[in-house]
Amino acid sequence: MARIKSFDLFSVDLPFKKPFKHAAADRSTSNSILLKCTLESGNTGFGECLPREYVTGETRDGAFALLKDRILPHLIGMEFNALEPVKSYLTACDGKAPAEWVSPGTPQTAAWTAVDLALLDAFGREFREPVRIGPAGGPAPAFRYSAVFSADRGLRALKTLLKIRIYGIRQAKLKVEDEAPEQTARLARLVLGNGCDIRVDANMAWDVPRAVAAMKRLAGYGIRSFEQPLPADDIAGLARLIRETGLGVMADESLSDRESLDRLIENRASTAVNVRISKCGGLMAALNRCRRALEAGLIVQIGCQVGETSLLSAAQLILITAVGRVTYGEGCFGRLLLREDPVLPLMQFGYGGKPPSLPSGFGLGIQVNESVLNRYCNSTWRS
């Protein structure tokens, strides 16, 4: 048996090379949490989460306190005799702490993500197994990452779009605000060309009348997919957009746990979903969300939170490999976004959005440089 001995929490602000802006936030650092799990054998594993109040209802300080006070103390002393029981335990938890620890209605899926990944990484190292939840190998040969275009304008926007074109990216997502979305779409189509699959993310910026009008106008630029055009709780409005426009609606902030996905499916309020490990409660819960979405006939995008390190990017590649039928992927930005990534190997997409290879080591296959982590750490806690 391998037993959990202790945990270390790190509240971290990894700086970006340039600010990233969209309708719901404007940030220049990761605003993240990393969690270190130490087993009695001395083996360690790391997890990561990026709490966003507008996504899961969690602030970073709130998630930090929830982990420190109500979740991690229960995990100390827990033991497993192999990696498979760890996966089974996390699958049963389905992205949330046991109900006797934390009420299921308490926002917690970001916090639990750090637990999920740290346990998989630590016990994978302990039992000398790589974390795999599906077929061996890597993503499907045709899979490519999309570029994500910050809600910029003017010369800065033009420069970014030219970089995307030169780098051979053939899928791109435009972050748009309430003002002038057509201007952004027109410029993007002009620079990226007709062969680029362009979609739009409004990050809850519109109401139903504005969304209907904007979607119909933007469809004139060949855009057929619109991510989270309405506030997260307007499920009836999302369903209405699908009926009235005949265009695709992708749920993002409206999706975090099993109940939210079931609500979207039952109300026919989305044609696609953006599944992000860091908002869905970890790798095992994200796999559950993807499988349920595909069963319901939805398009699956596996996305990321802005500012993820190569730790979450490695976990994302494991998920993409397991799911298989992934239409869009966002992530693996590495040092394209972060000034410094504390995780090796660097997980960063290449020319044309080509994904990196899956790390080959045990656990998640990554190593965290704690000296780099501590350089950007603003708060720590040790059990």
Side-chain angles (χ1 to χ4, degrees):
M1 284 287 187
R3 183 178 289 110
I4 297 173
K5 178 183 179 181
S6 63
F7 289 99
D8 293 81
L9 274 172
F10 305 83
S11 178
V12 179
D13 286 302
L14 298 169
F16 296 171
K17 287 186 173 179
K18 64 178 183 178
F20 192 90
K21 180 182 179 182
H22 57 71
D26 187 352
R27 64 181 75 255
S28 57
T29 66
S30 64
N31 199 245
S32 50
I33 293 173
L34 274 86
L35 172 65
K36 180 181 179 180
C37 174
T38 301
L39 306 183
E40 288 189 347
S41 66
N43 280 313
T44 61
F46 275 87
E48 177 184 7
C49 67
L50 297 90
R52 304 286 187 254
E53 190 169 12
Y54 60 90
V55 177
T56 65
E58 299 163 84
T59 64
R60 181 172 61 178
D61 288 347
F64 193 98
L66 186 68
L67 286 164
K68 174 174 68 74
D69 299 331
R70 299 173 62 185
I71 294 178
L72 299 182
H74 290 284
L75 288 165
I76 294 174
M78 187 174 288
E79 56 185 19
F80 296 93
N81 62 3
L83 183 57
E84 282 305 316
V86 179
K87 296 179 189 176
S88 297
Y89 171 73
L90 295 170
T91 298
C93 287
D94 203 21
K96 295 183 179 181
E100 58 269 26
W101 304 355
V102 180
S103 168
T106 300
Q108 58 183 289
T109 52
W112 190 257
T113 295
V115 171
D116 173 279
L117 296 175
L119 294 190
L120 289 170
D121 193 33
F123 284 99
R125 294 174 191 275
E126 176 74 17
F127 298 115
R128 301 181 65 80
E129 290 185 42
V131 173
R132 298 292 183 266
I133 55 175
F143 175 79
R144 292 293 183 270
Y145 276 101
S146 300
V148 181
F149 177 71
S150 175
D152 294 325
R153 295 183 188 175
L155 182 60
R156 186 170 177 176
L158 178 60
K159 287 180 177 179
T160 302
L161 287 168
L162 286 170
K163 287 179 182 177
I164 293 172
R165 177 67 183 261
I166 292 168
Y167 208 59
I169 303 292
R170 306 313 295 152
Q171 293 180 339
K173 182 168 81 175
L174 308 181
K175 296 279 190 177
V176 298
E177 298 177 305
D178 192 26
E179 299 178 7
E182 287 175 88
Q183 181 179 341
T184 302
R186 185 184 302 113
L187 179 63
R189 182 56 74 195
L190 177 66
V191 175
L192 300 180
N194 292 331
C196 186
D197 181 351
I198 299 176
R199 56 198 190 278
V200 156
D201 184 0
N203 283 103
M204 307 178 289
W206 300 330
D207 58 20
V208 171
R210 281 181 289 182
V212 169
M215 289 168 67
K216 288 181 176 179
R217 292 196 304 269
L218 292 172
Y221 297 97
I223 297 169
R224 310 294 298 175
S225 175
F226 296 85
E227 186 173 327
Q228 204 62 52
L230 305 178
D233 59 355
D234 191 358
I235 304 302
L238 292 172
R240 180 180 163 188
L241 292 184
I242 296 171
R243 292 194 305 269
E244 293 190 10
T245 68
L247 297 167
V249 171
M250 181 180 293
D252 182 10
E253 286 87 352
S254 294
L255 166 65
S256 60
D257 57 13
R258 178 180 296 276
E259 291 75 19
S260 61
L261 178 56
D262 286 343
R263 185 162 57 249
L264 289 165
I265 293 170
E266 290 165 6
N267 288 276
R268 299 182 180 179
S270 68
T271 60
V273 289
N274 185 15
V275 177
R276 297 188 262 179
I277 294 172
S278 48
K279 71 167 182 177
C280 288
L283 185 55
M284 305 311 298
L287 178 62
N288 290 343
R289 302 293 85 78
C290 289
R291 286 175 171 170
R292 176 72 178 102
L294 288 170
E295 288 171 0
L298 303 181
I299 290 170
V300 169
Q301 171 177 290
I302 295 183
C304 71
Q305 303 283 76
V306 176
E308 292 182 0
T309 72
S310 290
L311 189 160
L312 264 164
S313 295
Q316 187 197 55
L317 277 175
I318 294 169
L319 178 62
I320 290 169
T321 301
V323 174
R325 288 183 289 159
V326 177
T327 302
Y328 298 111
E330 298 169 355
C332 275
F333 292 114
R335 288 199 294 267
L336 294 172
L337 176 66
L338 297 175
R339 288 186 191 171
E340 197 167 6
D341 191 327
V343 178
L344 290 174
L346 180 67
M347 305 298 292
Q348 183 172 300
F349 65 74
Y351 181 82
K354 184 178 180 180
S357 299
L358 275 170
S360 58
F362 301 132
L364 296 175
I366 52 89
Q367 299 291 333
V368 176
N369 186 330
E370 291 189 52
S371 65
V372 175
L373 199 63
N374 287 323
R375 194 180 309 151
Y376 300 107
C377 191
N378 56 63
S379 180
T380 62
W381 173 84
R382 173 171 290 181
S383 61

